[in-house]
């Protein structure tokens, strides 16, 4: 579902991704860990072309992200085409990013109705099913400010799922939450993984990575330092840098 080949990204003269190679199979859960500034979130944002790469190739479901190949050259897609492809990828941010002036229901149905032109009644019916799925049935008329952080994040997940994405990206979805609210969000993500959704998760939740992840990638300073089965990487890291990092977070 996702393939990165020698992906590079820089901001000014600072190179933050230095040749990333990784793959995520259809239905797999890839968890990415690493210190702040290692390039994890930047890589995530490159996958749906919120950030443009400066080298290598990045594809989702067999199609290049943000570009089209003609002969030996790559041409950047028009913004409308990028937006169409981006609509197939759900993204859940660290800080929810809900529209504060809209109800929970309004937040969830906005994109399906505007972007995919789904009939309003159909969008509402799906939104109610998704709210039930994330444990928030009956909260359709609530505004984000009336919800806890954990509840807002679950609404954000429902909003992403309302677009029926082929891939879900999670950018440290629990790091802004109080500790007692983390569990409910992780439970929703576990259920989503069991349903067969392909997931790319940047996280500090080692228990979730060990239990749910099919693959674990440790990044540092813009490179993949170590990758493998989560239980193996966490229990028996092969690289000194991985061992140092895990000794501080476990």
């Amino acid at each position: 579902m996702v393939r990165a080949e020698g992906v590079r990204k820089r901001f000014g003269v600072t190179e933050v991704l230095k040749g990333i190679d990784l793959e995520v199979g259809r239905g797999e859960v890839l968890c990415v860990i690493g210190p702040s500034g290692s390039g994890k979130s930047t890589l995530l944002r490159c996958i749906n072309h919120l950030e443009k790469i400066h080298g290598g190739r990045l594809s989702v479901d067999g199609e290049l992200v943000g570009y089209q190949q003609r002969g030996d050259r790559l041409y950047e897609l028009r913004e409308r085409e990028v937006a169409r492809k981006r609509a197939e990828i759900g993204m859940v941010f660290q800080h929810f990013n809900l529209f504060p002036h809209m109800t929970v229901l309004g937040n969830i149905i906005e994109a399906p109705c505007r972007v995919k032109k789904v009939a309003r009644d159909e969008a509402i019916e799906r939104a109610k099913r998704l709210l039930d799925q994330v444990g928030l049935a009956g909260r359709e008329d609530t505004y984000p400010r009336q919800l806890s952080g954990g509840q807002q994040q679950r609404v954000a997940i429902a909003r992403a799922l309302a677009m029926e994405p082929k891939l879900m990206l999670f950018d440290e979805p629990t790091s802004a939450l109080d500790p007692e609210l983390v569990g409910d969000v992780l439970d929703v993500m576990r259920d989503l993984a069991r349903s067969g959704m392909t997931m790319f998760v940047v996280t500090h939740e080692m228990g979730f990575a060990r239990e749910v992840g099919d693959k674990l990638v440790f990044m540092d300073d813009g490179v993949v330092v170590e990758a493998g089965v989560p239980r193996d990487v966490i229990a028996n890291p092969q690289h000194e840098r991985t061992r140092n990092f895990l000794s501080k977070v476990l």
Side-chain angles (χ1 to χ4, degrees), residues 171-187:
D171 189 7
E172 300 187 18
T174 61
S175 62
L177 303 179
D178 292 334
E180 66 267 24
L181 303 177
V182 169
D184 290 338
V185 173
L186 293 180
D187 285 344

Side-chain angles (χ1 to χ4, degrees), residues 9-240:
K9 169 68 182 177
R10 64 180 182 273
F11 293 105
V13 298
T14 303
E15 193 171 35
V16 293
L17 298 178
K18 303 174 181 178
I20 300 293
D21 295 299
L22 57 78
E23 291 187 0
V24 187
R26 195 177 306 277
E28 285 187 335
V29 177
L30 174 74
C31 293
V32 183
I33 62 172
S36 297
S38 60
K40 309 182 302 295
S41 294
T42 298
L43 175 60
L44 194 79
R45 292 171 65 84
C46 288
I47 291 174
N48 62 2
H49 208 55
L50 288 174
E51 298 287 355
K52 300 176 184 179
I53 65 174
H54 294 113
R57 297 168 69 90
L58 186 57
S59 60
V60 172
D61 200 18
E63 296 185 358
L64 290 172
V65 173
Y67 297 90
Q68 184 180 64
Q69 183 160 354
R70 299 177 201 155
D72 295 331
R73 299 189 64 184
L74 293 180
Y75 295 86
E76 189 169 3
L77 296 174
R78 294 176 179 171
E79 183 55 38
R80 178 178 295 181
E81 184 65 14
V82 171
R84 185 185 69 79
K85 292 180 179 296
R86 190 180 288 141
E88 300 176 342
I89 303 172
M91 185 159 182
V92 178
F93 298 89
Q94 183 175 343
H95 292 289
F96 327 138
N97 288 5
L98 299 177
F99 298 118
H101 64 289
M102 290 185 179
T103 63
V104 164
L105 183 65
N107 268 278
I108 296 174
I109 70 172
E110 175 74 3
C113 291
R114 272 186 188 270
V115 179
K116 297 184 76 173
K117 309 303 181 186
V118 174
R120 181 177 173 83
D121 289 348
E122 181 183 340
I124 290 174
E125 182 179 341
R126 176 162 174 77
K128 289 181 177 180
R129 289 199 305 269
L130 288 168
L131 284 172
D132 183 53
Q133 182 178 329
V134 300
L136 292 172
R139 305 305 292 269
E140 294 91 342
D141 297 326
T142 306
Y143 284 87
R145 65 179 179 274
Q146 298 170 303
L147 300 174
S148 70
Q151 289 171 328
Q152 289 186 61
Q153 193 61 293
R154 284 184 278 156
V155 172
I157 294 173
R159 180 179 62 178
L161 292 174
M163 292 291 283
E164 299 183 308
K166 62 176 69 172
L167 168 68
M168 284 287 285
L169 308 177
F170 292 87
D171 189 7
E172 300 187 18
T174 61
S175 62
L177 303 179
D178 292 334
E180 66 267 24
L181 303 177
V182 169
D184 290 338
V185 173
L186 293 180
D187 285 344
V188 170
M189 293 172 65
R190 287 187 185 94
D191 289 342
L192 194 56
R194 291 190 200 103
S195 76
M197 175 63 72
T198 308
M199 297 165 61
F200 190 111
V201 186
V202 173
T203 185
H204 292 300
E205 300 292 338
M206 295 300 158
F208 176 85
R210 184 190 295 112
E211 174 193 348
V212 181
D214 296 297
K215 295 178 181 176
L216 181 66
V217 166
F218 172 65
M219 286 182 62
D220 186 37
D221 195 27
V223 300
V224 173
V225 176
E226 188 163 351
V229 176
R231 290 179 182 274
D232 294 343
V233 174
I234 292 172
N236 187 31
Q238 299 301 301
H239 293 263
E240 182 65 26

